[in-house]
């Protein structure tokens, strides 16, 4: 399960596009933060998660948050301000498990590496989908977790929602605000549609009216179990109620547990939570990473990344383009003892044992720090800070976060 939401510049506090996403995965599927520089590609093929496809001559600089064992990414931004988040969606199109394809995460990373605008990224995903398909397992330890994908794709000027079912797709443009969860939402309101999986009764089903993408392709059982409508109502409600949301507002909505009544208890969490806590078979996912990207036109963008699970127990670090992210800290598989993700996970597990008592004090301390970071980022951007000043600020924030984790670990 996942949630992604966006507000275009005319709607936001600082007049910049903001996109936020929670990545919900299996509880121990650690998330890696990684940056790839722009480069000329000599190799003819690129090895994605399950298959290799032709490589392009040049790939662009990207900052990604990805499951540590996958080639593709759950969310990310490129040097041109193209930002994408993807969601699992459940459809009635059957998988050909003997014909491997690209994962939704592969499609997301490929689009960021190859596209200079949101519209170009949209087209890149659609073209790759039609050529290679998405017959791919999206699970970690669950090797039978297959799903199709939807995407929220944006740049400093535009945002699009793309939804898929097999090799079929439909997209629409976002006006002011938008969000996606784990269900198809595009009915008859698409700008363009491609019916690759057209049924034999297609004309009879939609006789005399515009074809409905959601109505035809949705799988009712899995979509209902995932409570996508409940979560999307929560994120859309936030965007509609907040007159001019800023980065902190996006962070706050991504921390919501969206419980119908009473105080939050992690052992009673459901798939209706935005900040998700796994409870077993009926709710197998944790939020393992989160991002809020403030994408600026003509100024450096700030990619706020948790690099840790549970937004309700995390800080978001400011990441800027131009500097490698230290794998000893940001790659959970490189050295778990030094990894930010695993260090935070240990603290989170302690707090969850007595969440009602321990979380408020911990959260209060984190909120004070987060507010200061957001204020300082705004000042630096407004003053036209140089790249080295932004990178120094980012490093100081990381040091402060690690100091907090060390304090609570001892």
């Amino acid at each position: 399960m996942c949630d992604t939401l966006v507000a275009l510049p005319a709607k936001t506090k600082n007049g910049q596009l903001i996109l936020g996403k929670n990545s919900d995965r299996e509880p121990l599927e650690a998330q890696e933060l990684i940056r790839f520089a722009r480069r000329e590609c000599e190799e003819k093929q690129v090895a994605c998660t399950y298959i290799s496809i032709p490589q392009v001559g040049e790939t662009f600089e990207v900052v990604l948050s990805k499951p540590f064992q996958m080639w593709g990414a759950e969310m990310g931004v490129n040097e041109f301000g193209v930002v994408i988040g993807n969601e699992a969606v459940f459809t009635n199109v059957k998988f050909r498990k003997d014909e491997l394809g690209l994962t939704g995460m592969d499609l997301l990373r490929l689009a960021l590496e190859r596209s200079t605008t949101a519209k170009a990224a949209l087209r890149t995903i659609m073209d790759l989908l039609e050529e290679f398909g998405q017959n791919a397992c999206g699970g970690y330890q669950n090797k039978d977790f297959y799903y199709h994908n939807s995407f929220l794709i944006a740049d400093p000027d535009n945002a699009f929602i793309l939804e898929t079912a097999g090799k079929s797709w439909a997209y629409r443009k976002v006006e002011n605000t938008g969000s996606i969860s784990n269900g198809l939402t595009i009915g008859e309101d698409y700008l363009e549609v491609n019916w690759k999986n057209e049924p034999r009764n297609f004309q009879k089903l939609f006789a005399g009216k515009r074809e409905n993408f959601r109505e035809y392709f949705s799988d009712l059982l899995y979509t209902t179990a995932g409570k996508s409508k409940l979560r999307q109502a929560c994120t859309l409600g936030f965007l509609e109620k907040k007159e001019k949301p800023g980065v902190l507002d996006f962070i706050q909505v991504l921390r919501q547990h969206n419980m119908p009544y009473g105080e939050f208890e992690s052992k009673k969490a459901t798939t209706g939570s935005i900040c998700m806590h796994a409870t077993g078979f009926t709710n197998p996912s944790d939020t393992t990473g989160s991002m809020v990207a403030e994408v600026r036109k003509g100024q450096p963008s700030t990619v706020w990344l948790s690099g840790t699970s549970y937004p309700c127990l995390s800080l978001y670090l400011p990441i800027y383009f131009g500097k490698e992210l230290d794998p000893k800290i940001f790659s959970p598989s490189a050295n778990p003892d030094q990894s930010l993700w695993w260090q935070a996970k240990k603290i989170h597990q302690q707090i969850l044992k007595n969440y009602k008592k321990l979380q408020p004090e911990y959260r209060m301390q984190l909120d004070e720090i987060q507010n200061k970071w957001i204020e300082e980022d705004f000042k630096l951007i407004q003053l036209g800070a140089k790249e080295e000043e932004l990178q120094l600020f980012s490093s100081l924030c990381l040091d402060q976060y690690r100091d907090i984790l060390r304090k609570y670990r001892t």
Side-chain angles (χ1 to χ4, degrees):
M1 305 297 117
C2 296
D3 295 281
T4 307
L5 61 159
V6 69
L8 274 73
K11 179 68 176 176
T12 65
K13 178 180 178 181
N14 296 333
Q16 312 290 352
L17 181 134
I18 304 176
L19 184 143
K21 173 178 171 172
N22 277 355
S23 170
D24 302 334
R25 307 285 304 179
E26 294 173 49
L28 298 182
E29 190 176 8
Q31 200 107 156
E32 177 180 18
L33 305 186
I34 193 164
R35 173 249 181 192
F36 293 103
R38 184 194 287 214
R39 71 183 185 92
E40 300 292 328
C41 305
E42 297 181 358
E43 66 274 18
K44 300 298 183 184
Q45 297 276 308
V46 54
C48 300
T49 302
Y50 296 110
I51 64 172
S52 293
I53 67 170
Q55 181 60 291
V56 293
E58 180 184 43
T59 57
F60 303 128
E61 182 181 4
V62 295
V63 172
L64 307 171
S65 184
K66 59 187 283 296
F68 75 95
Q69 84 288 1
M70 281 190 178
W71 184 86
E74 282 276 313
M75 48 202 167
V77 188
N78 76 11
E79 61 181 288
F80 298 99
V82 180
V83 54
I84 310 177
N86 89 304
E87 313 280 324
V89 291
F90 304 97
T91 79
N92 53 29
V93 177
K94 296 188 181 301
F95 287 91
R96 290 290 305 271
K97 298 180 182 180
D98 58 332
E99 295 181 4
L100 289 177
L102 297 168
T103 67
M105 287 70 73
D106 292 339
L107 290 164
L108 184 152
R109 177 174 168 181
L110 288 164
L112 289 174
E113 290 186 341
R114 300 177 178 198
S115 309
T116 59
T117 66
K119 191 64 180 289
L122 178 73
R123 187 58 58 183
T124 296
I125 293 176
M126 294 187 298
D127 289 346
L128 289 168
L129 183 66
E130 290 189 46
E131 184 171 359
F132 300 103
Q134 53 181 328
N135 291 312
C137 176
Y140 170 40
Q141 293 174 319
N142 182 354
K143 301 302 181 183
D144 197 37
F145 187 41
Y146 285 72
Y147 52 81
H148 295 131
N149 292 269
S150 66
F151 303 86
L152 213 168
I153 306 165
D155 63 23
D157 298 310
N158 296 291
F160 301 92
I161 291 173
L162 170 66
E163 298 181 351
T164 74
K167 290 188 175 184
S168 294
W169 49 259
Y171 77 85
R172 65 178 177 86
K173 190 172 183 179
V174 175
E175 302 293 341
N176 293 319
T177 60
S179 76
I180 55 175
S181 188
N182 299 106
L184 296 178
T185 63
I186 298 176
E188 302 173 9
D189 55 337
Y190 45 79
L191 284 179
E192 190 177 352
V193 65
N194 191 339
W195 299 93
K196 281 288 184 180
N197 301 94
E198 182 179 320
R200 283 176 292 182
N201 65 341
F202 188 77
Q203 296 301 326
K204 181 179 179 181
L205 182 64
F206 296 114
K209 60 180 181 178
R210 186 172 168 88
E211 298 89 347
N212 188 307
F213 193 84
R214 179 189 64 250
E215 182 181 311
Y216 179 70
F217 283 119
S218 286
D219 178 285
L220 181 61
L221 177 62
Y222 281 97
T223 301
T224 302
K227 293 185 166 63
S228 62
K229 288 184 178 180
L230 178 64
R231 285 183 282 115
Q232 190 184 25
C234 177
T235 55
L236 273 178
F238 151 76
L239 290 172
E240 290 169 356
K241 291 175 185 176
K242 196 74 179 181
E243 185 178 354
K244 292 283 185 178
V247 167
L248 185 59
D249 298 304
F250 270 69
I251 289 174
Q252 288 172 343
V253 77
L254 292 173
R255 290 177 180 155
Q256 289 192 45
H257 295 113
N258 201 26
M259 297 290 282
Y261 55 86
E263 293 183 346
F264 173 73
E265 294 183 59
S266 61
K267 63 183 180 181
K268 295 182 179 179
T270 74
T271 55
S273 293
I274 309 300
C275 175
M276 198 164 287
H277 295 246
T279 57
F281 177 76
T282 58
N283 184 27
S285 298
D286 273 346
T287 297
T288 57
S290 188
M291 176 186 82
V292 174
E294 187 166 23
V295 179
R296 303 184 180 96
K297 195 171 185 178
Q299 294 177 306
S301 295
T302 307
V303 189
W304 297 93
L305 288 162
S306 69
T308 57
S309 60
Y310 304 136
C312 67
L313 297 172
S314 296
L315 283 168
Y316 289 70
L317 291 162
I319 305 295
Y320 305 95
F321 285 89
K323 184 181 179 182
E324 181 183 2
L325 300 178
D326 188 345
K328 294 193 299 293
I329 298 171
F330 292 113
S331 177
S333 59
N335 188 333
D337 291 334
Q338 296 185 42
S339 158
L340 179 71
W341 198 93
W342 283 111
Q343 287 177 339
K345 188 71 170 178
K346 292 175 182 177
I347 306 303
H348 295 171
Q349 288 171 334
Q350 293 175 22
I351 294 173
L352 287 174
K353 292 177 183 177
N354 194 349
Y355 188 92
K356 183 178 179 179
K357 179 181 178 181
L358 300 177
Q359 191 269 352
E361 179 185 345
Y362 187 66
R363 182 72 263 163
M364 186 181 300
Q365 182 179 172
L366 297 189
D367 285 346
E368 183 179 351
I369 294 168
Q370 190 76 71
N371 292 344
K372 289 180 180 178
W373 287 357
I374 292 171
E375 290 172 5
E376 184 62 22
D377 169 75
F378 178 75
K379 291 177 184 177
L380 287 168
I381 296 300
Q382 292 301 106
L383 292 171
K386 297 179 181 179
E387 182 179 310
E388 53 266 32
E389 294 176 285
L390 295 174
Q391 298 298 350
L392 174 60
F393 172 59
S394 180
S395 296
L396 291 173
C397 292
L398 175 60
D399 290 342
Q400 189 175 10
Y401 195 6
R402 297 183 78 195
D403 284 343
I404 292 170
L405 296 177
R406 278 191 286 268
K407 171 189 170 183
Y408 273 85
R409 195 165 66 245
T410 56

